[in-house]
Amino acid sequence: MAADGRWLLTSSTDEVTLDRILDLVGEMTTSGEVEEDARMQFEVAVAEIGANIIEHAGRGGTVSLTLELELTPDRLEARFSDDGHPARVDLRTVEMPDVMADRGRGLAIALAALDELEYRRRGGSNQWRLVCYRGDDNDNDNDDNDNEVSDPDR
């Protein structure tokens, strides 16, 4: 286990960045007793947000990405930061696309899997915060979730 319950990845995006992200999540979740449901939900959400950053933030180019993971007794948390283009998204309006759509599911999947998902643009950086609470209180009933988003220009 990381000495302080934190894991860090700093990378330029490329064809193996998502693998490195998932390896880090795996390292974190296997370091302690993480509930299987929480692990799966967190891993899926981190993968979806990471894939979106890799695909969209650079608009075809490379961006610098930092991922910090934190494991505490009550939650799993990921914080992404990248120097790519602003994400023009309002998480309050995200919905699962039509079943025939071949794209556009990532944010909806992440929202469904997490207890909290936040995005903000600050100081030329995209910042994402993902939280999955642990234990009996973690039922991921999104009717009561405080999933939120900040305006990309905030």
Side-chain angles (χ1 to χ4, degrees), residues 25-68:
V25 171
E27 183 180 320
M28 180 187 82
T29 58
T30 59
S31 71
E33 292 189 23
V34 176
E35 303 79 7
E36 187 65 14
D37 287 348
R39 182 200 61 78
M40 288 185 343
Q41 291 168 335
F42 186 73
E43 186 175 274
V44 165
V46 170
E48 292 294 346
I49 298 301
N52 278 353
I53 293 168
I54 294 163
E55 182 176 354
H56 301 294
R59 296 187 184 158
T62 299
V63 298
S64 294
L65 172 141
T66 299
L67 170 61
E68 183 178 357

Side-chain angles (χ1 to χ4, degrees), residues 90-102:
D90 182 345
L91 294 176
R92 296 168 295 202
T93 64
V94 171
E95 295 180 350
M96 189 63 78
D98 182 81
V99 295
M100 297 305 290
D102 59 347

Side-chain angles (χ1 to χ4, degrees), residues 6-148:
R6 295 175 191 254
W7 289 258
L8 181 66
L9 171 68
T10 302
S11 177
S12 294
T13 55
D14 60 23
E15 64 278 352
V16 296
T17 303
L18 189 56
D19 291 334
R20 285 186 284 207
I21 289 169
L22 292 174
D23 288 347
L24 193 67
V25 171
E27 183 180 320
M28 180 187 82
T29 58
T30 59
S31 71
E33 292 189 23
V34 176
E35 303 79 7
E36 187 65 14
D37 287 348
R39 182 200 61 78
M40 288 185 343
Q41 291 168 335
F42 186 73
E43 186 175 274
V44 165
V46 170
E48 292 294 346
I49 298 301
N52 278 353
I53 293 168
I54 294 163
E55 182 176 354
H56 301 294
R59 296 187 184 158
T62 299
V63 298
S64 294
L65 172 141
T66 299
L67 170 61
E68 183 178 357
L69 301 176
E70 184 176 4
L71 176 63
T72 69
D74 67 331
R75 74 183 188 288
L76 307 171
E77 184 169 333
R79 289 178 297 280
F80 280 103
S81 178
D82 71 78
D83 64 356
H85 296 279
R88 300 289 179 195
V89 62
D90 182 345
L91 294 176
R92 296 168 295 202
T93 64
V94 171
E95 295 180 350
M96 189 63 78
D98 182 81
V99 295
M100 297 305 290
D102 59 347
R103 303 181 56 78
R105 289 181 176 80
L107 289 176
I109 290 170
L111 276 167
L114 294 167
D115 294 296
E116 296 179 31
L117 176 60
E118 300 171 1
Y119 168 79
R120 75 184 70 227
R121 177 81 176 179
R122 181 177 288 161
S125 175
N126 295 309
Q127 300 175 357
W128 295 87
R129 181 174 170 267
L130 298 72
V131 178
C132 184
Y133 291 108
R134 302 176 64 189
D136 294 336
D137 294 336
N138 180 26
D139 62 6
N140 259 344
D141 181 357
N142 282 329
D143 292 339
D144 296 326
N145 284 0
D146 292 327
N147 293 328
E148 59 183 78

